[in-house]
Amino acid sequence: YLESCQIISNGDYGVDILKGGNPIIRNCNINRNKSKGARIANKGIGDFDNCDLTENREGAWEIDPECQVKMAG
């Protein structure tokens, strides 16, 4: 569970959720990362609530088709 975090200027993805991962990420700024703001891959699951994923070099999201992601706010 991550709440009110600043995830900024990473060398790759801001958040990388893989198989077995199922975090709740709430009210976080995920910005200025060198790849996407968030990648969800390999059957990962994630819940993003009221997060800002702007200004990432390659965009906000990379979500594989077999993954489950909830986005609100």
Side-chain angles (χ1 to χ4, degrees), residues 29-66:
N29 292 315
I30 305 170
N31 313 111
R32 296 188 298 277
N33 297 289
K34 295 211 181 208
S35 186
K36 310 272 190 202
R39 176 176 79 155
I40 301 89
N42 196 19
K43 299 184 182 178
I45 300 170
D47 187 347
F48 291 80
D49 183 19
N50 197 38
C51 293
D52 174 13
L53 280 84
T54 59
E55 299 181 32
N56 293 291
R57 183 173 290 170
E58 295 180 10
W61 302 97
E62 180 178 318
I63 304 170
D64 287 355
E66 74 276 2

Side-chain angles (χ1 to χ4, degrees), residues 6-14 30-34 56:
Q6 305 291 320
I7 302 171
I8 297 173
S9 298
N10 287 293
D12 202 2
Y13 300 100
I30 305 170
N31 313 111
R32 296 188 298 277
N33 297 289
K34 295 211 181 208
N56 293 291

